[in-house]
Amino acid sequence: MLAGVSVDYYTRLERGNLRGTSEAVLDGLARALQLDEAERTHLFDLARAANTTQGTRRRPAAQRVRPGVQRMLDAMTGAPAWVRNGRMDFLAGNRLGYALYSEMFTDPVRPANNARFVFLNPRSMEFFVDWERAANDIVAILRAEAGRNPYDRALTELIGELSTRSATFRTRWAAHDVRFHRTGRKQLHHPVVGDLDLSFEAMELPGEDLTFLAYTAEPGSPSQDALNLLASWAPTVAQLDQPATAEATDQP
């Protein structure tokens, strides 16, 4: 009643039949269900996917970054930074970014993947101080990505692998939670420099379905001292993964 649709029509939507649903109906549902921004966006993504034809499907998530993005990463010498796609693949980083996430590269599978690390590598439970929160965030990001791009074969295969090999992933995936991961706090335990309490900012690269993440510590804090130590250790780390840099020019 609050959404302005009939019970039969709402029941059809609940069953996943969103084909032909208007934006006005979706807006009404979002208001009636008091969806937050991430949930509302996910609802519209699901409706868009239901009305997408073969010829208008989104291209798969990118597997490389442009040279200009890599130069921007390399220019950031005091803050760990890296770029991921919607599948949580680590596509590129600066020295501090690779050093910070060196544990992720203990898995020989490439590209290194944060979701696979969290759910399939026991070392992640030492690395992420609040492992439960990290796990929930990653599942929510993957769920949102699946709504945006349900035809991404690599994403489907990743979700299938995690569902098969991790009961904890299956439980979280069944909750259908989605959320934005734009800014916040990361508490990490690095095997070389110890505990790090960092703030992060995540920025979308327009038109590329990539996310640029950078981490900073409070000036003068123990975490800043740990980052400084990490910076001195980073050059001694062997190249963990060759950055997937586009061969083309900086033009998108």
Side-chain angles (χ1 to χ4, degrees), residues 71-81 94-97 224 227-228 230-232 234:
R71 288 196 295 271
M72 184 167 63
L73 286 166
D74 294 337
M76 299 175 65
T77 58
N94 61 5
R95 273 188 174 181
L96 268 176
Q224 182 62 61
L227 271 187
N228 293 339
L230 187 67
S232 66

Side-chain angles (χ1 to χ4, degrees), residues 28-47:
L29 286 173
R31 288 194 303 272
L33 296 173
Q34 299 181 356
L35 303 184
D36 63 23
E37 184 184 359
E39 292 164 342
R40 183 183 184 281
T41 300
H42 186 55
L43 174 63
F44 274 78
D45 286 338
L46 293 175

Side-chain angles (χ1 to χ4, degrees), residues 21-245:
T21 306
S22 69
E23 288 195 6
V25 168
L26 295 176
D27 276 328
L29 286 173
R31 288 194 303 272
L33 296 173
Q34 299 181 356
L35 303 184
D36 63 23
E37 184 184 359
E39 292 164 342
R40 183 183 184 281
T41 300
H42 186 55
L43 174 63
F44 274 78
D45 286 338
L46 293 175
R48 190 175 299 110
N51 290 282
T52 295
T53 62
Q54 180 72 34
T56 58
R57 291 179 182 176
R58 289 161 56 100
R59 63 184 180 183
Q63 289 278 11
R64 57 178 62 189
V65 302
R66 292 181 288 107
V69 175
Q70 184 62 57
R71 288 196 295 271
M72 184 167 63
L73 286 166
D74 294 337
M76 299 175 65
T77 58
W82 63 294
V83 174
R84 65 162 176 82
N85 58 21
R87 296 189 295 267
M88 306 299 292
D89 292 331
F90 191 119
L91 298 183
N94 61 5
R95 273 188 174 181
L96 268 176
Y98 279 104
L100 180 66
Y101 277 99
S102 57
E103 290 288 271
M104 192 190 303
F105 292 88
T106 58
D107 185 339
V109 177
R110 294 294 182 269
N113 182 276
N114 202 15
R116 189 179 286 113
F117 172 60
V118 165
F119 288 101
L120 303 182
N121 192 330
R123 297 168 80 128
S124 69
M125 303 194 82
E126 292 290 329
F127 182 70
F128 290 103
V129 175
D130 189 348
W131 185 90
E132 294 286 336
R133 179 175 180 178
N136 289 336
D137 285 345
I138 283 176
V139 173
I141 292 169
L142 290 179
R143 173 63 76 177
E145 180 65 14
R148 281 191 299 271
N149 199 1
Y151 305 107
D152 185 334
R153 177 181 293 182
L155 175 63
T156 301
E157 291 174 351
L158 173 64
I159 292 168
E161 177 188 5
L162 297 176
S163 298
T164 300
R165 300 177 60 187
S166 171
T168 56
F169 177 85
R170 287 196 301 273
T171 300
R172 287 169 168 81
W173 186 253
H176 288 262
D177 289 335
V178 293
R179 70 188 62 166
F180 290 136
H181 197 64
R182 294 168 172 166
T183 185
R185 180 182 173 195
K186 289 283 185 185
Q187 292 178 291
L188 309 173
H189 180 78
H190 193 276
V192 174
V193 302
D195 291 335
L196 290 155
D197 190 345
L198 306 174
S199 298
F200 75 88
E201 298 292 333
M203 295 155 280
E204 302 298 322
L205 298 180
E208 299 185 61
D209 287 340
L210 298 178
T211 301
F212 187 106
L213 298 104
Y215 301 76
T216 58
E218 190 71 25
S221 67
S223 291
Q224 182 62 61
D225 293 338
L227 271 187
N228 293 339
L229 179 59
L230 187 67
S232 66
W233 175 72
T236 70
V237 180
Q239 184 65 34
L240 297 169
D241 195 31
Q242 202 65 30
T245 305

